[in-house]
């Protein structure tokens, strides 16, 4: 068909308008990779064929519960096989998967479930005591479905509470094609809902579509980036509630890779034993988790590993290089946000770096990387909004656009998180070089302004983290009557270390400007974390303000 487009004629292609949906991911796994396995905690082992058969039962079970199309259905669960079944059945039946952070305060938990107007909550049995006290303050929830997880926590006698496996046994498997049910549907139907951490106000809901999820999934399969393939064994250590576990579950299923899920435990020995026993080739976690494994790396065979993904916060170069020395595989930087589904950029060296010196390659690996295909990034002057050059030196606010980037927030009015031309304002300060490499300088809110000059908390943290006895570090601004703000470092040392603040200052003195040196180094046994495992600088700021 020809149609007018100004002075020239444009022509439509003659291709089938089949929608991009998660239903395709489900049926692809069932048809092509039925023999592949999903393993939870090294014990619960099911093939993809068995998992999808249970997904078909769950699809009918949702009908038995009269869950309407478009309803938000919450999951309050760890990384396990039953949670994966919900990942597939809910969007494949046109419901909305709402993954809820299991570490939230009661206040935020109640706000999120009520704001989403969740119809049903699926909850791990061991987590039921965390959420059940709030049940009566979540009046829209009609059913609470308990997922058996091997625990024996008591279950209250309440007609609203159902058993997950009993529900599936009552339901006949859905015999049709999930994909055919979507044949005439809009691929922009909502598929998932995830709320931001709410560290600077009420959490905000990011509503993913089938189209955005499938395109993000394809991005994780791109060769030269994460490059998931059929030969991989993928282990999402990052929680399922953290922006769909960075897309790794959907990506693994689409590629035909086996999945290893850690269950409820994040114990370092448990994680390393799983990686060794299951021959995990790809794993993703936040830096604090990767750091916790370091003392035991030498005790396990991780020779199957080809790709270790770090995100959620900046990966200290020293941590990445520690893994490279111990396993041959560095931790690869990524950058993203809940609003970016979440992966927007992946780090690592490319062909142009083959002739670079070792020091130059380390610097490249320390960058957050290049944007994934279909993702666009730019930096702008914070005050004027003027676009800044991609020269690796100019620092500006990072803005992002693309088909898996949010355009607004769920049930929320106009928000200054978006520009007039539709780009997402990330709140990150960054540089972009001529090769498109993104390097984060800091969060705008985390910069320290001392005597009228800026200090990057990220760079100062990286310098301190380069000391081999530093397990964790966070740098914040403390009010100062003379300089307005001065940096303070909070440090966790590795077991057995007795280094002093003076020794750490001597270590970093050659690395940073003298006036960047922290006024104080506070040693702690652990640093406060957000619900997704990131360092909670807001908690440190509050303690510094009160102190």
């Amino acid at each position: 068909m020809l149609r007018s487009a100004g002075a020239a004629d444009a022509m439509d292609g003659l291709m089938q308008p089949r929608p991009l949906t998660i239903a395709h991911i489900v049926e692809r796994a069932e048809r092509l990779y039925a023999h592949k396995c999903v393993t939870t905690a090294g014990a619960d082992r099911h093939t993809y064929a068995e998992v999808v058969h249970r997904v078909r039962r769950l699809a009918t079970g949702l009908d038995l519960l009269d869950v309407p199309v478009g309803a938000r259905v919450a999951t309050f669960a760890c990384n396990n096989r039953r949670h994966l079944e919900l990942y597939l059945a809910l969007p494949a039946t046109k419901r909305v998967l709402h993954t809820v952070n299991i570490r939230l305060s009661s206040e935020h938990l109640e706000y999120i479930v009520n704001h989403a107007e969740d119809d049903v909550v699926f909850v791990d049995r061991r987590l039921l005591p965390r959420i059940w006290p709030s049940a009566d303050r979540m009046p829209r929830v009609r059913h609470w479905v308990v997922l058996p997880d091997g625990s024996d926590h008591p279950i209250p006698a309440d007609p609203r509470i159902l058993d997950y496996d009993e529900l599936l046994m009552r339901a006949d498997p859905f015999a049709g094609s999930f994909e055919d049910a979507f044949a005439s549907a809009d691929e922009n139907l909502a598929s998932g809902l995830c709320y931001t951490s709410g560290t600077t106000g009420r959490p905000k809901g990011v509503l993913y579509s089938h189209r955005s999820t499938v395109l993000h999934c394809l991005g994780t399969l791109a060769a030269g980036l994460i490059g998931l393939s059929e030969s991989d064994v993928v282990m999402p250590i990052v929680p399922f509630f953290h922006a769909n576990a960075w897309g790794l579950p959907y990506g693994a299923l689409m590629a035909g890779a086996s999945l290893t899920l850690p269950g409820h435990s994040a114990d370092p020995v448990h994680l390393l034993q799983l990686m060794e026993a299951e021959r995990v080739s790809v794993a993703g976690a936040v830096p604090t988790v990767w750091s916790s494994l370091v003392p035991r790396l030498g005790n396990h065979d991780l020779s199957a590993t080809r790709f270790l993904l770090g995100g959620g916060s900046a990966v200290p170069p020293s941590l990445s290089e520690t893994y490279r020395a111990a396993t041959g595989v560095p931790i690869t930087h990524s950058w993203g946000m809940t609003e970016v589904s979440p992966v927007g950029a992946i780090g690592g060296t490319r062909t142009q770096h083959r002739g670079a010196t070792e020091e130059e390659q380390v610097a490249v690996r320390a960058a957050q990387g290049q944007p994934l295909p279909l993702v666009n990034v730019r930096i702008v002057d914070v005050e004027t909004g003027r676009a800044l050059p991609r020269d690796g030196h100019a620092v500006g606010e990072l803005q992002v656009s693309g088909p898996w980037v949010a355009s607004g927030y769920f049930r929320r009015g106009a928000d200054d998180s978006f520009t007039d031309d539709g780009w997402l304002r990330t709140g990150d300060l960054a540089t972009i070089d001529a090769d498109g490499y993104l390097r984060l300088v800091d969060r705008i809110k985390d910069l320290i302004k001392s005597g009228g000059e800026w200090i990057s908390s990220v760079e100062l943290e990286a310098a301190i983290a380069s000391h081999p006895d530093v397990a964790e570090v966070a740098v914040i601004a403390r009010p100062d009557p003379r300089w307005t703000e001065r940096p303070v470092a909070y440090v966790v040392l590795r077991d057995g270390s007795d280094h002093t603040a003076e020794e750490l200052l001597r270590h970093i003195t050659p690395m940073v400007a003298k006036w960047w040196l922290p006024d104080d180094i506070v040693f702690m046994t652990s640093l406060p974390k957000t619900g997704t495992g990131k360092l909670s600088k807001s908690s440190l700021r509050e303690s510094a303000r009160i102190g």
Side-chain angles (χ1 to χ4, degrees):
M1 179 178 69
L2 294 174
R3 58 185 177 187
S4 176
D9 287 326
M11 180 179 289
D12 286 341
L14 299 175
M15 308 305 289
Q16 295 181 12
R18 300 282 292 192
L20 304 177
T21 71
I22 293 170
H24 174 75
I25 298 175
V26 177
E27 294 187 344
R28 176 179 172 83
E30 180 183 43
R31 292 168 182 160
L32 304 186
Y33 306 115
H35 61 289
K36 290 302 185 77
C37 284
V38 178
T39 304
T40 301
D44 180 273
R45 192 178 300 271
H46 285 68
T47 65
Y48 277 7
E50 292 169 329
V51 168
V52 177
H53 179 73
R54 289 172 60 84
V55 167
R56 290 184 173 280
R57 284 189 176 276
L58 180 54
T60 306
L62 293 167
D63 292 336
L64 292 177
L65 297 181
D66 294 322
V67 182
V69 168
R72 276 74 65 200
V73 177
T75 63
F76 196 74
C78 300
N79 292 17
N80 57 57
R81 183 253 308 166
R82 289 178 176 85
H83 200 172
L84 180 69
E85 292 165 2
L86 290 157
Y87 253 65
L88 302 178
L90 290 169
T93 58
K94 301 179 185 176
R95 282 92 174 186
V96 180
L97 169 73
H98 175 202
T99 53
V100 179
N101 187 333
I102 64 175
R103 299 170 187 148
L104 288 175
S105 67
S106 296
E107 177 189 0
H108 276 174
L109 181 61
E110 293 163 15
Y111 170 79
I112 283 172
V113 171
N114 288 328
H115 185 268
E117 298 184 348
D118 289 320
D119 186 54
V120 181
V121 175
F122 288 81
V123 53
D124 281 348
R125 182 169 180 170
R126 73 179 63 248
L127 296 176
L128 186 60
R130 296 271 303 276
I131 193 171
W132 185 249
S134 296
D136 290 338
R137 292 187 291 277
M138 302 172 181
R140 291 182 178 272
V141 178
R142 296 186 300 116
H143 301 290
W144 297 79
V145 184
V146 177
L147 309 177
D149 59 5
S151 67
D152 58 359
H153 287 69
I155 299 176
D158 190 291
R160 293 171 292 177
I161 297 179
L162 307 171
D163 180 87
Y164 179 80
D165 284 351
E166 290 179 4
L167 174 64
L168 265 60
M169 289 300 297
R170 285 168 43 204
D172 294 324
F174 172 71
S177 165
F178 290 119
E179 202 168 358
D180 285 349
F182 271 92
S184 60
D186 186 349
E187 62 186 13
N188 291 302
L189 284 176
S191 66
L193 177 62
C194 187
Y195 280 75
T196 62
S197 58
T199 55
T200 57
R202 288 288 197 185
K204 295 180 284 190
V206 180
L207 193 62
Y208 307 127
S209 69
H210 281 264
R211 178 177 183 269
S212 71
T213 301
V214 170
L215 289 173
H216 180 269
C217 183
L218 289 171
T220 68
L221 272 59
L225 298 171
I226 301 177
L228 297 180
S229 73
E230 182 270 342
S231 62
D232 280 318
V233 177
V234 180
M235 182 169 163
I237 303 172
V238 56
F240 271 25
F241 61 72
H242 190 174
N244 284 348
W246 301 349
L248 291 174
Y250 289 134
L253 284 156
M254 180 174 275
S258 291
L259 270 167
T260 295
L261 306 176
H264 69 276
S265 175
D267 176 75
V269 173
H270 169 68
L271 297 177
L272 287 167
Q273 286 176 341
L274 271 182
M275 293 178 71
E276 179 178 25
E278 301 298 328
R279 305 291 291 167
V280 168
S281 59
V282 177
V286 296
T288 51
V289 170
W290 289 130
S291 181
S292 73
L293 306 187
V294 167
R296 301 167 180 83
L297 279 179
N299 301 333
H300 297 273
D301 176 11
L302 302 183
S303 58
T305 304
R306 71 162 185 85
F307 195 90
L308 299 174
L309 186 64
S313 58
V315 178
S318 57
L319 179 61
S320 178
E321 294 306 307
T322 295
Y323 271 81
R324 190 169 73 91
T327 69
V329 179
I331 299 174
T332 297
H333 247 125
S334 69
W335 171 83
M337 305 172 66
T338 303
E339 292 92 332
V340 189
S341 298
V343 184
I346 296 290
T349 57
R350 310 288 185 253
T351 56
Q352 67 265 36
H353 305 120
R354 288 175 181 170
T357 66
E358 180 60 30
E359 184 179 357
E360 290 169 338
Q361 292 196 37
V362 169
V364 172
R365 286 193 290 269
Q368 278 63 41
Q370 294 175 312
L372 270 64
L374 307 181
V375 174
N376 295 310
V377 295
R378 69 187 184 190
I379 53 173
V380 303
D381 184 278
V382 174
E383 295 182 354
T384 67
R386 177 177 58 87
L388 297 175
R390 298 169 177 247
D391 58 7
H393 300 291
V395 176
E397 183 189 30
L398 176 65
Q399 299 181 353
V400 60
S401 70
W404 58 77
V405 179
S407 61
Y409 293 106
F410 178 58
R411 298 182 62 207
R412 190 180 177 103
D415 194 285
D416 62 3
S417 297
F418 301 91
T419 66
D420 291 341
D421 57 348
W423 289 61
L424 172 70
R425 293 187 172 106
T426 69
D428 286 322
L429 287 173
T431 67
I432 302 175
D433 68 18
D435 289 329
Y437 272 78
L438 169 68
R439 287 174 173 80
L440 294 188
V441 173
D442 215 332
R443 293 286 292 171
I444 292 175
K445 65 182 181 182
D446 290 340
L447 279 174
I448 301 165
K449 194 161 192 178
S450 181
E453 300 291 340
W454 292 110
I455 298 173
S456 167
S457 66
V458 169
E459 291 186 35
L460 195 48
E461 287 164 354
I464 297 170
S466 69
H467 193 289
D469 282 357
V470 171
E472 291 184 284
V473 57
V475 173
I476 66 166
R478 185 168 66 189
D480 185 270
R482 180 180 180 186
W483 303 106
T484 306
E485 292 179 335
R486 289 296 298 154
V488 176
Y490 292 82
V491 173
V492 177
L493 294 175
R494 300 201 185 279
D495 291 343
S497 174
D498 58 358
H499 281 284
T500 65
E502 290 73 20
E503 289 170 319
L504 289 183
L505 287 173
R506 281 198 297 272
H507 173 74
I508 67 172
T509 294
M511 304 179 190
V512 300
K514 184 177 180 180
W515 58 276
W516 279 36
L517 294 174
D519 278 11
D520 197 6
I521 294 180
V522 180
F523 292 103
M524 304 180 73
T525 57
S526 65
L527 296 182
K529 307 292 193 305
T530 68
T532 55
K534 303 178 189 177
L535 295 174
S536 177
K537 290 192 174 183
S538 60
S539 298
L540 292 174
R541 290 190 192 98
E542 181 66 15
S543 67
R545 185 185 66 80
I546 295 173

